[in-house]
Amino acid sequence: MRKLIGKHDIILQVKILSRYILKEFLGNLFLGLFIFTFILLLDHLFELADLLLNKGVGVMLTLRLLALLLPSSLSLTLPMSTLLAALLTFGRLSENNEITAVRASGLAAWSYVKTPFIVSLVASLFLIPFNTLWAPRAHASFRQLYLQVLQRNPLVRIEEKTFVEIGDYHLFVERKDKKTKVMRGVTIYKIPPDGAPLRIFADRGTASVNVTQGITFLLQDGRIEEVDAADPSRWIYTSFKNYQLYIPLVNSQAASERALEEMDNPELRREITRLKSKNIPFPILACQIHLRWALALTPLLFAGLGIPLAIRLHRGGRSIGFGLSLLIMVLYYVMVMGGTGAGQRGLLPPWFAVWLGDGVILIASIAFYRRFTKK
């Protein structure tokens, strides 16, 4: 009877301990997700805020852009947050001697580390379809929606003292009145691949978008400079009081091309099959596939490294946790990006080049965990 009661007490202790650690771990995990996501998307957040407040883009459209932008960072922020949660949770438990008390009660190490490992395993399993399917599709949807915004209202791209490419033309504006939309110090030039270059200067002007997805510039007090077709060494200068320039917004080849980040794994494999049939090397595509799988497994690997490392350091401050997690992440991504670059150039096999960083983390995790369980 005493033996049965003892087993029941141990099971109850493990359940209470697991819930306690789970609450602490998830709290630190969501804290890391919020902070790291905010940092990685900070530039984009300013751009979206500018579209909403200054460029007339609607609230719902801005929220759609933000929703499609968030997945692009989750592949990085979820592993970073897992590592941070492991360091903060077990660092604090170790610093307060709670780990010592648990071990003194006779509970095995696995009894209090299994819950974070299960959470990390779920995160890795989630990242597999996320990295290989959902994130590329979200990236492609964001790009298409953003291009639609620019095509509907290309004026949102016009900024002061910034070169902007619209159609086949390049535009530069010295000043732009946000209320009247009057532009001053307007420079427009076109350098076609076949044909004479064209330059237009105007003191001021306005722009409007018509239903045919073109933009019309109404320019005042300026001049047109173009090369004489009969004598290419001679320029023709034409002054004007009022001049109207229409620029059609035709999708260029660059707009139709899809980046690797926008292709899901089935599309990458089909492209690899096509290149194989033509005996064309495909190390870049192979590295991209391996990279998505390697990043998917990092939450589990980082948990395996962070837990014994935090207990060994016996420090639980958030500043230490953030600093150590950033250091490990930087070292890891330097190895991954360096290996990926070598694999893309054909210096190393793609599988070895990309998985090198994960292999180093795995070896370090095993070494720390073995030393931790022997104590």
Side-chain angles (χ1 to χ4, degrees):
M1 185 69 179
R2 290 181 180 176
K3 188 175 183 181
L4 291 176
I5 294 175
K7 287 184 177 180
H8 181 269
D9 290 342
I10 292 175
I11 294 173
L12 183 61
Q13 289 175 4
V14 171
K15 287 184 178 180
I16 295 173
L17 181 62
S18 297
R19 286 196 296 266
Y20 174 68
I21 293 178
L22 178 63
K23 181 180 178 181
E24 184 90 8
F25 188 83
L26 289 179
N28 290 323
L29 179 68
F30 288 120
L31 173 66
L33 277 175
F34 175 78
I35 294 175
F36 291 134
T37 301
F38 180 77
I39 293 174
L40 289 180
L41 296 183
L42 189 58
D43 288 342
H44 295 289
L45 291 176
F46 280 120
E47 186 176 355
L48 291 178
D50 184 57
L51 289 176
L52 175 64
L53 300 175
N54 301 322
K55 303 299 177 58
V57 178
V59 175
M60 294 306 298
L61 188 56
T62 304
L63 292 177
R64 283 182 62 193
L65 288 170
L66 178 61
L68 292 172
L69 188 62
L70 287 174
S72 64
S73 66
L74 194 59
S75 299
L76 299 177
T77 57
L78 187 53
M80 294 170 69
S81 302
T82 305
L83 176 61
L84 177 67
L87 291 171
L88 291 182
T89 301
F90 286 89
R92 191 192 67 79
L93 294 175
S94 179
E95 186 177 32
N96 295 341
N97 294 318
E98 294 180 65
I99 295 294
T100 303
V102 170
R103 299 178 77 171
S105 67
L107 293 179
W110 177 246
S111 63
Y112 53 87
V113 302
K114 68 177 181 180
T115 303
F117 267 111
I118 292 174
V119 173
S120 303
L121 177 61
V122 171
S124 290
L125 293 176
F126 166 76
L127 283 182
I128 291 175
F130 182 87
N131 288 354
T132 59
L133 297 174
W134 304 335
R137 293 170 185 174
H139 196 286
S141 298
F142 172 82
R143 182 170 177 267
Q144 291 172 3
L145 184 60
Y146 190 73
L147 288 176
Q148 289 175 11
V149 171
L150 296 182
Q151 288 176 355
R152 278 188 226 158
N153 187 9
L155 303 182
V156 302
R157 303 172 60 190
I158 300 177
E159 297 284 352
E160 293 183 351
K161 301 183 184 299
T162 303
F163 281 99
V164 179
E165 185 176 351
I166 302 177
D168 296 327
Y169 292 79
H170 296 267
L171 171 70
F172 182 86
V173 176
E174 284 286 345
R175 284 178 293 140
K176 178 184 175 183
D177 192 304
K178 293 184 179 181
K179 292 183 178 180
T180 63
K181 306 299 181 184
V182 174
M183 301 174 292
R184 298 189 180 276
V186 181
T187 302
I188 301 174
Y189 68 92
K190 178 182 180 182
I191 305 178
D194 297 321
L198 171 70
R199 295 185 300 203
I200 302 174
F201 302 93
D203 289 341
R204 61 189 179 278
T206 59
S208 60
V209 181
N210 58 29
V211 294
T212 59
Q213 291 196 354
I215 181 170
T216 301
F217 288 92
L218 298 177
L219 306 175
Q220 298 176 335
D221 297 329
R223 70 182 187 275
I224 302 173
E225 300 179 358
E226 53 187 335
V227 174
D228 188 351
D231 184 6
S233 63
R234 181 171 172 267
W235 286 78
I236 298 176
Y237 300 90
T238 305
S239 299
F240 61 81
K241 191 70 176 175
N242 295 286
Y243 182 75
Q244 178 175 304
L245 175 66
Y246 173 76
I247 302 177
L249 298 175
V250 181
N251 288 339
S252 63
Q253 182 180 1
S256 62
E257 292 177 351
R258 298 187 63 190
L260 287 178
E261 292 79 7
E262 300 172 7
M263 299 174 65
D264 57 32
N265 275 25
E267 291 175 320
L268 289 174
R269 290 193 181 95
R270 285 195 294 269
E271 183 65 15
I272 288 176
T273 302
R274 187 184 69 84
L275 294 177
K276 272 185 179 179
S277 64
K278 298 181 179 181
N279 294 322
I280 299 176
F282 49 88
I284 295 179
L285 300 180
C287 285
Q288 186 68 24
I289 291 178
H290 284 290
L291 181 61
R292 292 173 180 177
W293 281 91
L295 291 178
L297 295 183
T298 47
L300 189 59
L301 294 176
F302 282 155
L305 176 64
I307 292 173
L309 181 60
I311 295 175
R312 182 172 179 80
L313 289 177
H314 210 69
R315 293 288 185 274
R318 286 189 173 178
S319 59
I320 296 176
F322 273 103
L324 191 56
S325 62
L326 288 175
L327 176 62
I328 294 174
M329 289 298 300
V330 168
L331 293 176
Y332 170 75
Y333 283 115
V334 165
M335 287 188 292
V336 171
M337 293 300 105
T340 301
Q344 290 176 344
R345 293 191 297 270
L347 301 178
L348 294 172
W351 66 268
F352 179 81
V354 175
W355 287 94
L356 179 62
D358 285 54
V360 172
I361 296 295
L362 178 61
I363 293 173
S365 302
I366 294 174
F368 274 109
Y369 193 77
R370 290 183 64 181
R371 295 186 66 178
F372 159 66
T373 53
K374 288 180 180 179
K375 288 185 63 177

